[in-house]
Amino acid sequence: MMAPSPIIVSEGGILDLDDVMRVMEDSFDPAYGEAWTAPQCAGLMPMPGVWLSLARDGDGVIGFSLGRVVAEEAELLLLAVKKSSQRLGAGEALLRRFMAVADAKGAKKLHLEVRHGNGAVNLYARAGFSPVGRRKNYYTGRDGQIYDALTLAKTSGS
């Protein structure tokens, strides 16, 4: 059995949008209404303070994160890893990169929102994020089911 290819995280850009959308379509279950559309991503990516990170292995792009810094606060807007590549370290590597870039850009506080019940909550908790709020009825799944969003935060560098 071959060892898995190492995961390499690097900066991405608008030209990587097709790869981002392939990962998003694979990783976000449409039942929860969490995925963004290509126009939403394309509209945000050129804005000041926004950055895209891509996780690659030997098969190409397997994950991405999209973050932004405004003043001294950073927000993790999206983080996704292809289902076949989950639990192999790509999500953790993307989260570490988000935190490092946010710190380098001067962020003092880091924020993110995640659907209540999403397994990624454990990843964020291990990285030091704590619940600071809850948005009731934030996500609407395609079946009409409503889900809350948990707001998590941590101090940069902690």
Side-chain angles (χ1 to χ4, degrees):
M1 186 169 150
M2 291 179 48
S5 298
I7 296 167
I8 298 166
V9 178
S10 60
E11 184 176 345
I14 195 74
L15 295 178
D16 299 302
L17 187 56
D18 287 344
D19 287 326
V20 166
M21 294 313 299
R22 276 191 285 278
V23 171
M24 187 134 31
E25 289 163 9
D26 178 79
S27 63
F28 285 110
D29 186 331
Y32 297 113
E34 299 163 298
W36 288 20
T37 64
Q40 285 173 312
C41 291
L44 189 70
M45 287 170 67
M47 295 178 71
V50 174
W51 72 96
L52 173 69
S53 298
L54 300 173
R56 292 181 170 89
D57 68 4
D59 295 325
V61 175
I62 60 168
F64 74 91
S65 64
L66 188 63
R68 101 175 134 189
V69 168
V70 177
E72 294 185 340
E73 297 195 358
E75 182 178 11
L76 179 61
L77 300 166
L78 289 167
L79 190 152
V81 176
K82 282 184 172 182
K83 288 178 185 166
S84 62
S85 298
Q86 291 177 357
R87 304 202 188 288
L88 299 175
E92 185 177 345
L94 286 162
L95 183 58
R96 278 196 315 267
R97 175 148 177 131
F98 163 75
M99 293 187 298
V101 172
D103 189 54
K105 289 181 177 282
K108 304 285 187 236
K109 189 143 190 173
L110 311 179
H111 301 268
L112 63 90
E113 288 183 343
V114 61
R115 178 183 43 81
H116 177 67
N118 184 322
V121 170
N122 296 324
L123 169 70
Y124 301 134
R126 286 193 311 271
F129 284 85
S130 300
V132 294
R134 185 182 197 112
R135 291 186 179 197
K136 300 292 274 176
N137 307 325
Y138 187 75
Y139 296 107
T140 303
R142 68 175 172 198
D143 62 356
Q145 179 80 27
I146 307 275
Y147 303 91
D148 292 351
L150 301 178
T151 303
L152 308 177
K154 73 173 276 182
T155 303
S156 185
S158 65

